[in-house]
Amino acid sequence: MLLTAAILGVVAAIAVWWQEPFLAPSLGSAVFTQLLHPEEASARPYAILMGQVLGAASGFAGVFLTGANMQPPFMGAHPLVWTRVAAIVVTAVLAASLQLVSGALTPAGGATALIVAIGAEADDPAGAAHLAVGLLLVTSLGEAARRLVLRMKGADRPT
């Protein structure tokens, strides 16, 4: 779908222009959910934004509660260490629980939680800010495109 590529391309271009890492892998999951399953509750702005915010918060909590912030990220040449495994487990429980309680259920929220837990996103204020900018861009651009897709399908209904 060209809209999916266009949204991710715009966010990537903004990241290049600002020289900041605004594009995280979980944002791709969000856009795919918004545009390939636009009728689903998990594709609506509340689920997309809040599900990922809760996922990120769970990831940061899991990382700090287990001390994984003192370990290298699980990426590239760094192996997965037990502290990161503990962070993943804590993060998964927190993210799933918070999404269920809030009703902000989206696969992208689980992906965001895992990205933070493994260290793919910096576990500091700058990492949180980069993720926040990406979340806002994807949620807003993706929602506009989601509504267009619904209109094209003739399934436009209040959300």
Side-chain angles (χ1 to χ4, degrees), residues 71-84:
Q71 299 295 323
F74 170 56
M75 297 170 50
H78 299 290
L80 185 60
V81 296
W82 287 110
T83 310
R84 288 277 178 199

Side-chain angles (χ1 to χ4, degrees), residues 58-142:
S58 298
F60 288 119
V63 164
F64 285 99
L65 287 172
T66 61
N69 59 314
M70 305 304 242
Q71 299 295 323
F74 170 56
M75 297 170 50
H78 299 290
L80 185 60
V81 296
W82 287 110
T83 310
R84 288 277 178 199
V85 172
I88 290 165
V89 171
V90 169
T91 294
V93 169
L94 286 173
S97 299
L98 290 173
Q99 281 193 20
L100 282 169
V101 168
S102 68
L105 298 169
T106 183
T112 299
L114 183 60
I115 284 166
V116 174
I118 66 171
E121 184 60 64
D123 53 19
D124 58 20
H130 294 144
L131 195 52
V133 170
L135 286 173
L136 291 172
L137 287 169
V138 162
T139 301
S140 57
L141 295 171

Side-chain angles (χ1 to χ4, degrees), residues 20 27 33 58 68 76-77 102 144 150 154:
E20 297 289 349
L27 299 179
T33 299
S58 298
S102 68
L150 286 171

